[in-house]
Amino acid sequence: RSRFGSGSGQRSDLGGNEKRPRGRRRRRDRGRSMADPAPMLPGDASRPQIIYALVTRGPTLVLAEHAVAEGTFQQATMQILPRIEVTSEWKSYIYGDYAFHCLMEVSTGVWFVCMADRDMGRRLPFAMLSSLQESFNQWYAAPQIASASNLGMQLEFYGEIQACIEKYNAPDADRVASLSAKVRQVNDTLMDNIDKILERQDKIDVLVNRSHMLHQSAVDFRREAVAVHRRVWWRNARVLACAAVAVVLGIVL
């Protein structure tokens, strides 16, 4: 039995005996069907990605969809959607290694859903769904949505879903993470520069201390030299005085 959370932005675990989605990712050309073979996505194993996205009317009628991988994603999604409560809040549900993100229009009954790697978080999937919602509302009016049949908008809207997924799966899509990495790099450089400045300041302090010690030694040496000079001068003066007295006494006597 599945477990659902309540409240805005909560993430819930989805359990049960359903087959978990599996498969390998691939890139499709515009207009391919879900079963057509396609090459593998480059670099898909190195970072989390959005794997599957669809637009539905309610939990059962799929209007358009696109997957970047071969697998049972559609079946797993269609088993999960009927269990999701209808709400205007953005919801995320954990399903093994994946996460399902849902953005619903309660007034029209249109659901925008995507399946992504669990490690991708919520920001990029919901950014993709918001972009998909805006594009969808530009394409279709309420009467068209109400009268649409299963996959009735697939041929027209397939390319828009694919473009949105590719845009937000791009390596530079997460600008916040990119900016954070740049800030960390700047901080590392700044810390490195500060360390060098501190190290240089330490060296300058050592040189200043040594210069002060040399100056003090020079002052002490000069003071000592003056004292020695005075002692030698007085000694010589006494010797000369004694010699002069001896000469005078010798002459007198």
Side-chain angles (χ1 to χ4, degrees):
R1 187 177 178 181
S2 300
R3 292 180 288 130
F4 295 84
S6 60
S8 175
Q10 287 193 354
R11 304 176 68 168
S12 306
D13 292 335
L14 293 172
N17 297 322
E18 300 89 347
K19 293 182 178 179
R20 294 180 184 269
R22 63 182 184 275
R24 60 188 182 88
R25 301 182 183 176
R26 65 180 191 175
R27 186 186 299 277
R28 291 183 176 81
D29 296 330
R30 189 181 297 266
R32 287 182 184 264
S33 66
M34 295 288 290
D36 290 340
M40 294 286 290
L41 278 173
D44 60 311
S46 61
R47 55 188 175 80
Q49 292 191 356
I50 299 170
I51 305 168
Y52 176 55
L54 67 160
V55 181
T56 71
R57 191 179 71 219
T60 57
L61 184 67
V62 179
L63 301 177
E65 63 181 359
H66 174 66
V68 297
E70 294 177 344
T72 58
F73 307 122
Q74 183 185 33
Q75 294 88 331
T77 303
M78 297 312 296
Q79 289 176 354
I80 291 170
L81 289 184
R83 305 183 180 188
I84 298 177
E85 63 174 316
V86 179
T87 175
S88 59
E89 300 169 349
W90 294 4
K91 289 294 189 72
S92 297
Y93 300 90
I94 301 301
Y95 191 73
D97 294 332
Y98 304 97
F100 289 85
H101 307 281
C102 306
L103 191 160
M104 304 178 186
E105 289 184 352
V106 179
S107 59
T108 61
V110 178
W111 295 14
F112 302 90
V113 184
C114 74
M115 174 184 173
D117 289 318
R118 180 175 181 175
D119 294 337
M120 193 173 195
R122 304 180 74 239
R123 183 174 63 253
L124 287 179
F126 276 112
M128 190 278 295
L129 291 178
S130 297
S131 177
L132 190 63
Q133 179 188 27
E134 181 180 357
S135 179
F136 184 84
N137 289 332
Q138 291 176 353
W139 276 63
Y140 302 104
Q144 293 174 289
I145 298 172
S147 61
S149 59
N150 187 54
L151 293 177
M153 300 172 178
Q154 176 71 6
L155 292 178
E156 294 178 340
F157 202 66
Y158 175 92
E160 291 296 323
I161 301 177
Q162 180 183 16
C164 284
I165 292 178
E166 290 177 351
K167 176 182 177 181
Y168 288 93
N169 274 347
D172 59 344
D174 196 348
R175 295 184 178 181
V176 174
S178 178
L179 290 175
S180 298
K182 291 182 180 179
V183 169
R184 285 194 299 269
Q185 183 179 4
V186 170
N187 287 338
D188 292 340
T189 303
L190 180 61
M191 291 177 63
D192 181 59
N193 290 337
I194 290 176
D195 289 340
K196 291 181 179 178
I197 291 173
L198 293 176
E199 182 180 358
R200 186 165 60 248
Q201 185 63 40
D202 290 339
K203 293 181 179 179
I204 292 174
D205 291 339
V206 170
L207 291 176
V208 170
N209 291 334
R210 288 182 179 177
S211 298
H212 178 72
M213 292 175 62
L214 289 174
H215 175 71
Q216 190 64 36
S217 299
V219 171
D220 293 341
F221 177 79
R222 183 177 180 182
R223 185 182 299 113
E224 186 67 23
V226 171
V228 171
H229 177 73
R230 286 177 180 175
R231 287 197 298 269
V232 171
W233 185 87
W234 282 110
R235 182 185 306 166
N236 292 336
R238 286 196 296 269
V239 170
L240 291 175
C242 291
V245 171
V247 170
V248 170
L249 292 176
I251 293 175
V252 173
L253 297 177

PDB file of all heavy atoms in Angstrom, residues 18 23 31 47 68 75 93 134 140 153 166 174 183 195 199 204 208 222 229 232 246:
ATOM      1  N   GLU A  18       3.774  -2.770  -7.436  1.00  0.00           N
ATOM      2  CA  GLU A  18       3.907  -2.436  -8.840  1.00  0.00           C
ATOM      3  C   GLU A  18       5.342  -2.660  -9.288  1.00  0.00           C
ATOM      4  O   GLU A  18       6.274  -2.589  -8.512  1.00  0.00           O
ATOM      5  CB  GLU A  18       3.537  -0.956  -9.081  1.00  0.00           C
ATOM      6  CG  GLU A  18       2.127  -0.605  -8.675  1.00  0.00           C
ATOM      7  CD  GLU A  18       2.062  -0.165  -7.223  1.00  0.00           C
ATOM      8  OE1 GLU A  18       3.069  -0.386  -6.526  1.00  0.00           O
ATOM      9  OE2 GLU A  18       1.003   0.340  -6.806  1.00  0.00           O
ATOM     10  N   GLY A  23      15.024   0.649 -17.190  1.00  0.00           N
ATOM     11  CA  GLY A  23      15.342   0.764 -18.600  1.00  0.00           C
ATOM     12  C   GLY A  23      16.582   1.585 -18.807  1.00  0.00           C
ATOM     13  O   GLY A  23      17.220   2.017 -17.867  1.00  0.00           O
ATOM     14  N   GLY A  31       9.029  13.439 -33.059  1.00  0.00           N
ATOM     15  CA  GLY A  31       8.043  12.660 -33.789  1.00  0.00           C
ATOM     16  C   GLY A  31       8.210  11.171 -33.629  1.00  0.00           C
ATOM     17  O   GLY A  31       7.407  10.395 -34.131  1.00  0.00           O
ATOM     18  N   ARG A  47      25.104  12.242 -13.898  1.00  0.00           N
ATOM     19  CA  ARG A  47      24.334  13.230 -13.148  1.00  0.00           C
ATOM     20  C   ARG A  47      22.856  12.899 -13.257  1.00  0.00           C
ATOM     21  O   ARG A  47      22.402  12.295 -14.235  1.00  0.00           O
ATOM     22  CB  ARG A  47      24.608  14.637 -13.674  1.00  0.00           C
ATOM     23  CG  ARG A  47      24.376  14.798 -15.152  1.00  0.00           C
ATOM     24  CD  ARG A  47      24.829  16.144 -15.669  1.00  0.00           C
ATOM     25  NE  ARG A  47      24.696  16.221 -17.104  1.00  0.00           N
ATOM     26  CZ  ARG A  47      23.560  16.460 -17.745  1.00  0.00           C
ATOM     27  NH1 ARG A  47      22.440  16.668 -17.031  1.00  0.00           N
ATOM     28  NH2 ARG A  47      23.508  16.508 -19.045  1.00  0.00           N
ATOM     29  N   VAL A  68      12.926   9.935 -22.256  1.00  0.00           N
ATOM     30  CA  VAL A  68      14.287   9.909 -22.790  1.00  0.00           C
ATOM     31  C   VAL A  68      14.928   8.554 -22.546  1.00  0.00           C
ATOM     32  O   VAL A  68      16.138   8.413 -22.659  1.00  0.00           O
ATOM     33  CB  VAL A  68      15.145  11.022 -22.143  1.00  0.00           C
ATOM     34  CG1 VAL A  68      14.598  12.386 -22.480  1.00  0.00           C
ATOM     35  CG2 VAL A  68      15.237  10.839 -20.632  1.00  0.00           C
ATOM     36  N   GLN A  75       3.878   2.859 -17.596  1.00  0.00           N
ATOM     37  CA  GLN A  75       3.053   1.965 -16.790  1.00  0.00           C
ATOM     38  C   GLN A  75       3.148   2.304 -15.304  1.00  0.00           C
ATOM     39  O   GLN A  75       2.131   2.348 -14.596  1.00  0.00           O
ATOM     40  CB  GLN A  75       3.472   0.504 -17.023  1.00  0.00           C
ATOM     41  CG  GLN A  75       3.204   0.000 -18.435  1.00  0.00           C
ATOM     42  CD  GLN A  75       4.349   0.276 -19.381  1.00  0.00           C
ATOM     43  OE1 GLN A  75       5.084   1.254 -19.203  1.00  0.00           O
ATOM     44  NE2 GLN A  75       4.491  -0.566 -20.404  1.00  0.00           N
ATOM     45  N   TYR A  93       6.742  12.783  -4.977  1.00  0.00           N
ATOM     46  CA  TYR A  93       6.569  11.464  -4.386  1.00  0.00           C
ATOM     47  C   TYR A  93       7.786  10.598  -4.720  1.00  0.00           C
ATOM     48  O   TYR A  93       8.202  10.514  -5.881  1.00  0.00           O
ATOM     49  CB  TYR A  93       5.300  10.791  -4.906  1.00  0.00           C
ATOM     50  CG  TYR A  93       4.043  11.580  -4.599  1.00  0.00           C
ATOM     51  CD1 TYR A  93       3.563  12.537  -5.499  1.00  0.00           C
ATOM     52  CD2 TYR A  93       3.355  11.389  -3.413  1.00  0.00           C
ATOM     53  CE1 TYR A  93       2.416  13.273  -5.223  1.00  0.00           C
ATOM     54  CE2 TYR A  93       2.205  12.122  -3.124  1.00  0.00           C
ATOM     55  CZ  TYR A  93       1.752  13.059  -4.029  1.00  0.00           C
ATOM     56  OH  TYR A  93       0.630  13.794  -3.749  1.00  0.00           O
ATOM     57  N   GLU A 134       3.260  26.643 -19.003  1.00  0.00           N
ATOM     58  CA  GLU A 134       3.125  27.902 -19.739  1.00  0.00           C
ATOM     59  C   GLU A 134       3.007  27.661 -21.235  1.00  0.00           C
ATOM     60  O   GLU A 134       2.158  28.260 -21.913  1.00  0.00           O
ATOM     61  CB  GLU A 134       4.339  28.791 -19.440  1.00  0.00           C
ATOM     62  CG  GLU A 134       4.301  30.145 -20.127  1.00  0.00           C
ATOM     63  CD  GLU A 134       5.510  30.988 -19.805  1.00  0.00           C
ATOM     64  OE1 GLU A 134       6.357  30.539 -18.995  1.00  0.00           O
ATOM     65  OE2 GLU A 134       5.622  32.101 -20.356  1.00  0.00           O
ATOM     66  N   TYR A 140      -3.162  25.550 -26.185  1.00  0.00           N
ATOM     67  CA  TYR A 140      -4.507  24.990 -26.125  1.00  0.00           C
ATOM     68  C   TYR A 140      -5.419  25.808 -25.221  1.00  0.00           C
ATOM     69  O   TYR A 140      -4.989  26.322 -24.182  1.00  0.00           O
ATOM     70  CB  TYR A 140      -4.466  23.542 -25.621  1.00  0.00           C
ATOM     71  CG  TYR A 140      -3.603  22.637 -26.470  1.00  0.00           C
ATOM     72  CD1 TYR A 140      -2.340  22.239 -26.021  1.00  0.00           C
ATOM     73  CD2 TYR A 140      -4.039  22.195 -27.715  1.00  0.00           C
ATOM     74  CE1 TYR A 140      -1.539  21.419 -26.802  1.00  0.00           C
ATOM     75  CE2 TYR A 140      -3.234  21.369 -28.495  1.00  0.00           C
ATOM     76  CZ  TYR A 140      -1.991  20.994 -28.040  1.00  0.00           C
ATOM     77  OH  TYR A 140      -1.195  20.185 -28.816  1.00  0.00           O
ATOM     78  N   MET A 153      -3.055  15.029 -28.249  1.00  0.00           N
ATOM     79  CA  MET A 153      -2.163  16.153 -28.500  1.00  0.00           C
ATOM     80  C   MET A 153      -0.716  15.708 -28.673  1.00  0.00           C
ATOM     81  O   MET A 153       0.208  16.530 -28.668  1.00  0.00           O
ATOM     82  CB  MET A 153      -2.254  17.156 -27.346  1.00  0.00           C
ATOM     83  CG  MET A 153      -3.649  17.713 -27.141  1.00  0.00           C
ATOM     84  SD  MET A 153      -3.772  18.712 -25.632  1.00  0.00           S
ATOM     85  CE  MET A 153      -5.483  19.241 -25.717  1.00  0.00           C
ATOM     86  N   GLU A 166      14.980  18.446 -22.504  1.00  0.00           N
ATOM     87  CA  GLU A 166      16.370  18.629 -22.914  1.00  0.00           C
ATOM     88  C   GLU A 166      16.950  19.917 -22.335  1.00  0.00           C
ATOM     89  O   GLU A 166      18.123  19.965 -21.951  1.00  0.00           O
ATOM     90  CB  GLU A 166      16.462  18.646 -24.436  1.00  0.00           C
ATOM     91  CG  GLU A 166      16.197  17.283 -25.070  1.00  0.00           C
ATOM     92  CD  GLU A 166      16.224  17.345 -26.587  1.00  0.00           C
ATOM     93  OE1 GLU A 166      16.287  18.477 -27.134  1.00  0.00           O
ATOM     94  OE2 GLU A 166      16.185  16.275 -27.217  1.00  0.00           O
ATOM     95  N   ASP A 174      21.173  24.109 -14.231  1.00  0.00           N
ATOM     96  CA  ASP A 174      21.107  24.508 -12.825  1.00  0.00           C
ATOM     97  C   ASP A 174      22.091  25.643 -12.586  1.00  0.00           C
ATOM     98  O   ASP A 174      23.218  25.444 -12.153  1.00  0.00           O
ATOM     99  CB  ASP A 174      21.425  23.308 -11.924  1.00  0.00           C
ATOM    100  CG  ASP A 174      20.985  23.556 -10.489  1.00  0.00           C
ATOM    101  OD1 ASP A 174      20.666  24.719 -10.166  1.00  0.00           O
ATOM    102  OD2 ASP A 174      20.965  22.611  -9.703  1.00  0.00           O
ATOM    103  N   VAL A 183      31.214  30.522  -6.677  1.00  0.00           N
ATOM    104  CA  VAL A 183      31.442  31.222  -5.406  1.00  0.00           C
ATOM    105  C   VAL A 183      32.414  30.445  -4.540  1.00  0.00           C
ATOM    106  O   VAL A 183      33.315  31.016  -3.915  1.00  0.00           O
ATOM    107  CB  VAL A 183      30.107  31.444  -4.672  1.00  0.00           C
ATOM    108  CG1 VAL A 183      30.345  31.932  -3.244  1.00  0.00           C
ATOM    109  CG2 VAL A 183      29.249  32.447  -5.423  1.00  0.00           C
ATOM    110  N   ASP A 195      45.886  33.318   2.820  1.00  0.00           N
ATOM    111  CA  ASP A 195      46.943  32.514   3.437  1.00  0.00           C
ATOM    112  C   ASP A 195      48.320  32.986   2.972  1.00  0.00           C
ATOM    113  O   ASP A 195      49.260  33.078   3.775  1.00  0.00           O
ATOM    114  CB  ASP A 195      46.754  31.034   3.069  1.00  0.00           C
ATOM    115  CG  ASP A 195      45.550  30.432   3.779  1.00  0.00           C
ATOM    116  OD1 ASP A 195      45.118  31.002   4.800  1.00  0.00           O
ATOM    117  OD2 ASP A 195      45.031  29.409   3.294  1.00  0.00           O
ATOM    118  N   GLU A 199      51.087  34.565   5.285  1.00  0.00           N
ATOM    119  CA  GLU A 199      52.429  33.983   5.308  1.00  0.00           C
ATOM    120  C   GLU A 199      53.478  35.050   5.006  1.00  0.00           C
ATOM    121  O   GLU A 199      54.523  35.112   5.671  1.00  0.00           O
ATOM    122  CB  GLU A 199      52.506  32.861   4.269  1.00  0.00           C
ATOM    123  CG  GLU A 199      53.850  32.145   4.246  1.00  0.00           C
ATOM    124  CD  GLU A 199      53.883  31.039   3.203  1.00  0.00           C
ATOM    125  OE1 GLU A 199      52.844  30.823   2.546  1.00  0.00           O
ATOM    126  OE2 GLU A 199      54.940  30.407   3.065  1.00  0.00           O
ATOM    127  N   ILE A 204      57.420  39.195   6.877  1.00  0.00           N
ATOM    128  CA  ILE A 204      57.739  40.611   7.078  1.00  0.00           C
ATOM    129  C   ILE A 204      57.936  40.909   8.560  1.00  0.00           C
ATOM    130  O   ILE A 204      58.860  41.637   8.953  1.00  0.00           O
ATOM    131  CB  ILE A 204      56.629  41.496   6.486  1.00  0.00           C
ATOM    132  CG1 ILE A 204      56.614  41.375   4.954  1.00  0.00           C
ATOM    133  CG2 ILE A 204      56.816  42.953   6.899  1.00  0.00           C
ATOM    134  CD1 ILE A 204      55.470  42.097   4.289  1.00  0.00           C
ATOM    135  N   VAL A 208      61.153  42.419  10.295  1.00  0.00           N
ATOM    136  CA  VAL A 208      61.088  43.622  11.121  1.00  0.00           C
ATOM    137  C   VAL A 208      61.705  43.363  12.486  1.00  0.00           C
ATOM    138  O   VAL A 208      62.472  44.180  13.025  1.00  0.00           O
ATOM    139  CB  VAL A 208      59.641  44.107  11.252  1.00  0.00           C
ATOM    140  CG1 VAL A 208      59.506  45.199  12.304  1.00  0.00           C
ATOM    141  CG2 VAL A 208      59.123  44.618   9.909  1.00  0.00           C
ATOM    142  N   ARG A 222      77.494  50.614  19.886  1.00  0.00           N
ATOM    143  CA  ARG A 222      77.999  51.989  19.869  1.00  0.00           C
ATOM    144  C   ARG A 222      78.187  52.524  21.280  1.00  0.00           C
ATOM    145  O   ARG A 222      79.200  53.177  21.588  1.00  0.00           O
ATOM    146  CB  ARG A 222      77.039  52.879  19.097  1.00  0.00           C
ATOM    147  CG  ARG A 222      77.511  54.322  18.956  1.00  0.00           C
ATOM    148  CD  ARG A 222      76.542  55.115  18.105  1.00  0.00           C
ATOM    149  NE  ARG A 222      76.979  56.483  17.967  1.00  0.00           N
ATOM    150  CZ  ARG A 222      76.305  57.416  17.298  1.00  0.00           C
ATOM    151  NH1 ARG A 222      75.164  57.079  16.686  1.00  0.00           N
ATOM    152  NH2 ARG A 222      76.771  58.651  17.219  1.00  0.00           N
ATOM    153  N   HIS A 229      86.118  53.640  24.695  1.00  0.00           N
ATOM    154  CA  HIS A 229      86.966  54.759  24.251  1.00  0.00           C
ATOM    155  C   HIS A 229      87.263  55.713  25.401  1.00  0.00           C
ATOM    156  O   HIS A 229      88.413  56.181  25.565  1.00  0.00           O
ATOM    157  CB  HIS A 229      86.274  55.503  23.113  1.00  0.00           C
ATOM    158  CG  HIS A 229      87.012  56.700  22.642  1.00  0.00           C
ATOM    159  ND1 HIS A 229      88.181  56.632  21.892  1.00  0.00           N
ATOM    160  CD2 HIS A 229      86.789  58.042  22.829  1.00  0.00           C
ATOM    161  CE1 HIS A 229      88.624  57.829  21.631  1.00  0.00           C
ATOM    162  NE2 HIS A 229      87.796  58.720  22.199  1.00  0.00           N
ATOM    163  N   VAL A 232      89.749  54.055  27.853  1.00  0.00           N
ATOM    164  CA  VAL A 232      91.104  54.059  27.290  1.00  0.00           C
ATOM    165  C   VAL A 232      91.688  55.475  27.327  1.00  0.00           C
ATOM    166  O   VAL A 232      92.871  55.681  27.649  1.00  0.00           O
ATOM    167  CB  VAL A 232      91.090  53.522  25.839  1.00  0.00           C
ATOM    168  CG1 VAL A 232      92.442  53.726  25.155  1.00  0.00           C
ATOM    169  CG2 VAL A 232      90.699  52.057  25.836  1.00  0.00           C
ATOM    170  N   ALA A 246     106.741  62.482  36.946  1.00  0.00           N
ATOM    171  CA  ALA A 246     108.034  61.827  37.151  1.00  0.00           C
ATOM    172  C   ALA A 246     109.159  62.654  36.525  1.00  0.00           C
ATOM    173  O   ALA A 246     110.249  62.818  37.096  1.00  0.00           O
ATOM    174  CB  ALA A 246     108.004  60.414  36.565  1.00  0.00           C
TER     175      ALA A 246
END
